Amino acid sequence: KQEVTQIPAALSVPEGENLVLNCSFTDSAIYNLQWFRQDPGKGLTSLLLIQSSQREQTSGRLNASLDKSSGRSTLYIAASQPGDSATYLCAVSRTDSWGKLQFGAGTQVVVTP
Amino acid sequence: EADIYQTPRYLVIGTGKKITLECSQTMGHDKMYWYQQDPGMELHLIHYSYGVNSTEKGDLSSESTVSRIRTEHFPLTLESARPSHTSQYLCASRTENYGYTFGSGTRLTVV
């Protein structure tokens, strides 16, 4: 059974610092990995999607890497801003055709002004 | 602008009532999903569909049911709501190239 772990569970940084969020998964046979952002009481906003054949994806200040062999992904957020405060979720999609997601518990990020 | 819409956004309802949570998407995606999330907890898959007239139960056992009569519409129904159904319900659709798109969720409270 696939297990997804996110470390740390919570993170507080001053504005301007770079954020490093870690995600690990136990079964390397994944279809893809997706990072999401969730604001309190809201739905999920997709940040980056990395296909299993890719090593990284970038969008603006965000960069996500994927190492399937070691079962790890890292989300980097450069020059953090207070608006980056949210919970960040990592989810892996299984290789079966249904594409069901297995979520981690998330990392709660607070960026202080 | 959201391409997947959930209504209502919030719902408080009494025990024993029948409720339907609506989910619609304008992207023409075949694959749609319902996830349940308790406060501060992980998301768990409760239902999914691969197209019209296709529905399957997810990993987390749920007393809810779903239907998929039209591609764009994937409603979730609870025949008799109970306090244990209090949770946030998130609907999503998916493509191979762009992954998942989630709606804003319905926060359900059963009193």
Side-chain angles (χ1 to χ4, degrees):
Chain A
K1 178 182 181 288
Q2 178 74 273
E3 293 184 4
V4 181
T5 303
Q6 291 189 246
I7 294 172
L11 185 60
S12 181
V13 299
E15 182 177 2
E17 270 199 18
N18 297 331
L19 288 163
V20 180
L21 309 179
N22 297 299
C23 171
S24 62
F25 45 94
T26 54
D27 186 349
S28 62
I30 64 169
Y31 189 75
N32 56 39
L33 183 145
Q34 196 163 359
W35 283 94
F36 297 92
R37 168 190 172 133
Q38 186 174 32
D39 293 291
K42 301 287 182 62
L44 275 64
T45 300
S46 177
L47 298 174
L48 290 167
L49 171 70
I50 311 176
Q51 303 290 356
S52 62
S53 59
Q54 297 175 319
R55 299 282 293 185
E56 68 175 346
Q57 279 288 337
T58 298
S59 176
R61 293 185 295 114
L62 276 61
N63 174 276
S65 65
L66 174 64
D67 184 342
K68 263 184 38 174
S69 60
S70 65
R72 293 179 184 178
S73 177
T74 302
L75 177 66
Y76 301 90
I77 303 177
S80 62
Q81 304 168 357
D84 294 329
S85 298
T87 296
Y88 291 82
L89 297 166
C90 163
V92 297
S93 182
R94 307 174 197 178
T95 53
D96 60 71
S97 60
W98 296 105
K100 294 177 280 187
L101 283 178
Q102 186 72 37
F103 281 89
T107 294
Q108 187 173 4
V109 171
V110 174
V111 180
T112 56
Chain B
E1 186 177 341
D3 294 311
I4 185 161
Y5 304 94
Q6 290 188 245
T7 57
R9 184 73 181 87
Y10 301 94
L11 179 61
V12 180
I13 200 162
T15 298
K17 299 292 187 182
K18 177 180 179 179
I19 58 171
T20 296
L21 308 185
E22 301 289 347
C23 176
S24 296
Q25 48 103 358
T26 58
M27 300 171 284
H29 293 170
D30 287 325
K31 301 179 183 98
M32 295 189 74
Y33 307 79
W34 277 102
Y35 284 83
Q36 183 176 344
Q37 185 183 32
D38 293 330
M41 304 296 286
E42 297 176 26
L43 283 84
H44 294 283
L45 180 68
I46 52 174
H47 297 283
Y48 57 100
S49 168
Y50 238 39
V52 172
N53 295 325
S54 152
T55 61
E56 299 286 343
K57 288 191 177 293
D59 301 326
L60 182 68
S61 175
S62 174
E63 294 168 344
S64 59
T65 59
V66 292
S67 62
R68 192 85 183 277
I69 299 172
R70 303 196 315 266
T71 297
E72 63 270 23
H73 196 212
F74 191 37
L76 181 146
T77 299
L78 278 165
E79 290 292 334
S80 179
R82 295 209 297 268
S84 61
H85 297 141
T86 294
S87 190
Q88 176 162 246
Y89 294 84
L90 291 158
C91 180
S93 67
R94 170 183 170 259
T95 66
E96 304 293 333
N97 292 331
Y98 297 101
Y100 276 69
T101 301
F102 277 84
S104 298
T106 294
R107 187 171 292 278
L108 173 66
T109 302
V110 184
V111 298

mmCIF file of all heavy atoms in Angstrom, chain B residues 82-102:
data_model
loop_
_atom_site.group_PDB
_atom_site.id
_atom_site.type_symbol
_atom_site.label_atom_id
_atom_site.label_comp_id
_atom_site.label_asym_id
_atom_site.label_seq_id
_atom_site.Cartn_x
_atom_site.Cartn_y
_atom_site.Cartn_z
ATOM 1 N N ARG B 82 -26.020 11.814 8.999
ATOM 2 C CA ARG B 82 -25.734 11.593 10.419
ATOM 3 C C ARG B 82 -24.571 12.492 10.823
ATOM 4 O O ARG B 82 -23.775 12.915 9.976
ATOM 5 C CB ARG B 82 -25.352 10.138 10.658
ATOM 6 C CG ARG B 82 -26.452 9.132 10.397
ATOM 7 C CD ARG B 82 -26.257 7.913 11.281
ATOM 8 N NE ARG B 82 -25.010 7.227 10.967
ATOM 9 C CZ ARG B 82 -24.920 6.236 10.108
ATOM 10 N NH1 ARG B 82 -25.994 5.834 9.449
ATOM 11 N NH2 ARG B 82 -23.781 5.637 9.887
ATOM 12 N N PRO B 83 -24.435 12.774 12.145
ATOM 13 C CA PRO B 83 -23.316 13.625 12.596
ATOM 14 C C PRO B 83 -21.952 13.098 12.136
ATOM 15 O O PRO B 83 -21.034 13.890 11.897
ATOM 16 C CB PRO B 83 -23.464 13.602 14.115
ATOM 17 C CG PRO B 83 -24.938 13.454 14.324
ATOM 18 C CD PRO B 83 -25.395 12.526 13.243
ATOM 19 N N SER B 84 -21.820 11.777 11.977
ATOM 20 C CA SER B 84 -20.536 11.216 11.536
ATOM 21 C C SER B 84 -20.201 11.596 10.092
ATOM 22 O O SER B 84 -19.063 11.421 9.644
ATOM 23 C CB SER B 84 -20.547 9.687 11.669
ATOM 24 O OG SER B 84 -21.575 9.135 10.852
ATOM 25 N N HIS B 85 -21.181 12.122 9.355
ATOM 26 C CA HIS B 85 -20.943 12.572 7.978
ATOM 27 C C HIS B 85 -20.385 13.991 7.918
ATOM 28 O O HIS B 85 -20.048 14.482 6.832
ATOM 29 C CB HIS B 85 -22.239 12.503 7.166
ATOM 30 C CG HIS B 85 -22.771 11.108 7.014
ATOM 31 N ND1 HIS B 85 -24.120 10.821 7.076
ATOM 32 C CD2 HIS B 85 -22.141 9.932 6.814
ATOM 33 C CE1 HIS B 85 -24.300 9.522 6.908
ATOM 34 N NE2 HIS B 85 -23.104 8.961 6.755
ATOM 35 N N THR B 86 -20.292 14.644 9.067
ATOM 36 C CA THR B 86 -19.739 16.001 9.109
ATOM 37 C C THR B 86 -18.300 15.983 8.625
ATOM 38 O O THR B 86 -17.451 15.277 9.170
ATOM 39 C CB THR B 86 -19.810 16.561 10.538
ATOM 40 O OG1 THR B 86 -21.191 16.715 10.905
ATOM 41 C CG2 THR B 86 -19.103 17.904 10.634
ATOM 42 N N SER B 87 -18.029 16.751 7.567
ATOM 43 C CA SER B 87 -16.714 16.722 6.934
ATOM 44 C C SER B 87 -16.703 17.726 5.791
ATOM 45 O O SER B 87 -17.712 18.383 5.508
ATOM 46 C CB SER B 87 -16.426 15.318 6.391
ATOM 47 O OG SER B 87 -15.086 15.193 5.971
ATOM 48 N N GLN B 88 -15.545 17.841 5.138
ATOM 49 C CA GLN B 88 -15.477 18.604 3.894
ATOM 50 C C GLN B 88 -15.404 17.608 2.743
ATOM 51 O O GLN B 88 -14.632 16.642 2.796
ATOM 52 C CB GLN B 88 -14.277 19.543 3.867
ATOM 53 C CG GLN B 88 -14.151 20.280 2.535
ATOM 54 C CD GLN B 88 -13.270 21.505 2.569
ATOM 55 O OE1 GLN B 88 -13.738 22.629 2.392
ATOM 56 N NE2 GLN B 88 -11.976 21.296 2.786
ATOM 57 N N TYR B 89 -16.206 17.877 1.705
ATOM 58 C CA TYR B 89 -16.252 17.012 0.537
ATOM 59 C C TYR B 89 -15.712 17.782 -0.668
ATOM 60 O O TYR B 89 -16.198 18.861 -1.008
ATOM 61 C CB TYR B 89 -17.685 16.541 0.290
ATOM 62 C CG TYR B 89 -18.187 15.641 1.403
ATOM 63 C CD1 TYR B 89 -18.733 16.192 2.568
ATOM 64 C CD2 TYR B 89 -18.079 14.254 1.323
ATOM 65 C CE1 TYR B 89 -19.163 15.378 3.605
ATOM 66 C CE2 TYR B 89 -18.511 13.435 2.351
ATOM 67 C CZ TYR B 89 -19.045 14.010 3.488
ATOM 68 O OH TYR B 89 -19.468 13.198 4.516
ATOM 69 N N LEU B 90 -14.713 17.204 -1.304
ATOM 70 C CA LEU B 90 -14.033 17.866 -2.410
ATOM 71 C C LEU B 90 -14.210 17.055 -3.683
ATOM 72 O O LEU B 90 -13.944 15.852 -3.710
ATOM 73 C CB LEU B 90 -12.544 18.014 -2.110
ATOM 74 C CG LEU B 90 -12.211 18.999 -0.985
ATOM 75 C CD1 LEU B 90 -10.853 18.711 -0.405
ATOM 76 C CD2 LEU B 90 -12.278 20.423 -1.510
ATOM 77 N N CYS B 91 -14.635 17.730 -4.730
ATOM 78 C CA CYS B 91 -14.830 17.106 -6.032
ATOM 79 C C CYS B 91 -13.670 17.488 -6.940
ATOM 80 O O CYS B 91 -13.125 18.602 -6.830
ATOM 81 C CB CYS B 91 -16.160 17.581 -6.623
ATOM 82 S SG CYS B 91 -16.557 16.885 -8.242
ATOM 83 N N ALA B 92 -13.275 16.598 -7.823
ATOM 84 C CA ALA B 92 -12.154 16.873 -8.717
ATOM 85 C C ALA B 92 -12.368 16.184 -10.059
ATOM 86 O O ALA B 92 -13.102 15.204 -10.170
ATOM 87 C CB ALA B 92 -10.847 16.386 -8.094
ATOM 88 N N SER B 93 -11.714 16.731 -11.069
ATOM 89 C CA SER B 93 -11.634 16.052 -12.365
ATOM 90 C C SER B 93 -10.174 15.974 -12.763
ATOM 91 O O SER B 93 -9.319 16.650 -12.181
ATOM 92 C CB SER B 93 -12.463 16.778 -13.431
ATOM 93 O OG SER B 93 -11.893 18.043 -13.726
ATOM 94 N N ARG B 94 -9.886 15.139 -13.736
ATOM 95 C CA ARG B 94 -8.481 14.849 -14.036
ATOM 96 C C ARG B 94 -8.252 14.615 -15.523
ATOM 97 O O ARG B 94 -9.102 14.034 -16.196
ATOM 98 C CB ARG B 94 -8.063 13.611 -13.251
ATOM 99 C CG ARG B 94 -6.712 13.030 -13.620
ATOM 100 C CD ARG B 94 -6.429 11.774 -12.832
ATOM 101 N NE ARG B 94 -5.258 11.087 -13.344
ATOM 102 C CZ ARG B 94 -5.301 10.027 -14.140
ATOM 103 N NH1 ARG B 94 -6.459 9.532 -14.509
ATOM 104 N NH2 ARG B 94 -4.185 9.468 -14.567
ATOM 105 N N THR B 95 -7.087 15.064 -15.983
ATOM 106 C CA THR B 95 -6.612 14.669 -17.305
ATOM 107 C C THR B 95 -5.192 14.129 -17.162
ATOM 108 O O THR B 95 -4.516 14.393 -16.171
ATOM 109 C CB THR B 95 -6.578 15.844 -18.300
ATOM 110 O OG1 THR B 95 -5.588 16.803 -17.852
ATOM 111 C CG2 THR B 95 -7.922 16.529 -18.392
ATOM 112 N N GLU B 96 -4.749 13.398 -18.177
ATOM 113 C CA GLU B 96 -3.412 12.803 -18.126
ATOM 114 C C GLU B 96 -2.335 13.883 -18.106
ATOM 115 O O GLU B 96 -1.334 13.767 -17.410
ATOM 116 C CB GLU B 96 -3.197 11.904 -19.355
ATOM 117 C CG GLU B 96 -4.238 10.827 -19.517
ATOM 118 C CD GLU B 96 -4.173 9.787 -18.416
ATOM 119 O OE1 GLU B 96 -3.077 9.584 -17.855
ATOM 120 O OE2 GLU B 96 -5.214 9.187 -18.111
ATOM 121 N N ASN B 97 -2.547 14.939 -18.872
ATOM 122 C CA ASN B 97 -1.491 15.940 -19.043
ATOM 123 C C ASN B 97 -1.472 17.006 -17.967
ATOM 124 O O ASN B 97 -0.412 17.572 -17.678
ATOM 125 C CB ASN B 97 -1.629 16.625 -20.407
ATOM 126 C CG ASN B 97 -1.339 15.666 -21.544
ATOM 127 O OD1 ASN B 97 -0.572 14.718 -21.389
ATOM 128 N ND2 ASN B 97 -1.966 15.903 -22.682
ATOM 129 N N TYR B 98 -2.614 17.292 -17.395
ATOM 130 C CA TYR B 98 -2.703 18.418 -16.454
ATOM 131 C C TYR B 98 -3.043 17.991 -15.031
ATOM 132 O O TYR B 98 -3.147 18.836 -14.149
ATOM 133 C CB TYR B 98 -3.710 19.449 -16.955
ATOM 134 C CG TYR B 98 -3.294 20.058 -18.277
ATOM 135 C CD1 TYR B 98 -3.872 19.637 -19.468
ATOM 136 C CD2 TYR B 98 -2.299 21.015 -18.329
ATOM 137 C CE1 TYR B 98 -3.473 20.168 -20.677
ATOM 138 C CE2 TYR B 98 -1.893 21.553 -19.534
ATOM 139 C CZ TYR B 98 -2.481 21.128 -20.702
ATOM 140 O OH TYR B 98 -2.076 21.657 -21.902
ATOM 141 N N GLY B 99 -3.181 16.702 -14.817
ATOM 142 C CA GLY B 99 -3.440 16.232 -13.463
ATOM 143 C C GLY B 99 -4.826 16.604 -12.975
ATOM 144 O O GLY B 99 -5.771 16.742 -13.753
ATOM 145 N N TYR B 100 -4.933 16.806 -11.690
ATOM 146 C CA TYR B 100 -6.209 17.044 -11.027
ATOM 147 C C TYR B 100 -6.537 18.534 -10.932
ATOM 148 O O TYR B 100 -5.665 19.355 -10.680
ATOM 149 C CB TYR B 100 -6.156 16.500 -9.600
ATOM 150 C CG TYR B 100 -6.445 15.033 -9.463
ATOM 151 C CD1 TYR B 100 -5.553 14.083 -9.937
ATOM 152 C CD2 TYR B 100 -7.603 14.590 -8.833
ATOM 153 C CE1 TYR B 100 -5.820 12.731 -9.800
ATOM 154 C CE2 TYR B 100 -7.866 13.239 -8.693
ATOM 155 C CZ TYR B 100 -6.975 12.323 -9.180
ATOM 156 O OH TYR B 100 -7.243 10.989 -9.046
ATOM 157 N N THR B 101 -7.834 18.827 -11.085
ATOM 158 C CA THR B 101 -8.381 20.146 -10.770
ATOM 159 C C THR B 101 -9.480 19.939 -9.746
ATOM 160 O O THR B 101 -10.401 19.151 -9.973
ATOM 161 C CB THR B 101 -8.962 20.819 -12.025
ATOM 162 O OG1 THR B 101 -7.939 20.954 -13.012
ATOM 163 C CG2 THR B 101 -9.511 22.198 -11.672
ATOM 164 N N PHE B 102 -9.373 20.657 -8.628
ATOM 165 C CA PHE B 102 -10.334 20.499 -7.541
ATOM 166 C C PHE B 102 -11.309 21.662 -7.503
ATOM 167 O O PHE B 102 -10.976 22.798 -7.865
ATOM 168 C CB PHE B 102 -9.612 20.425 -6.196
ATOM 169 C CG PHE B 102 -9.079 19.068 -5.857
ATOM 170 C CD1 PHE B 102 -7.852 18.648 -6.346
ATOM 171 C CD2 PHE B 102 -9.811 18.204 -5.045
ATOM 172 C CE1 PHE B 102 -7.355 17.394 -6.042
ATOM 173 C CE2 PHE B 102 -9.323 16.950 -4.732
ATOM 174 C CZ PHE B 102 -8.099 16.535 -5.222
#
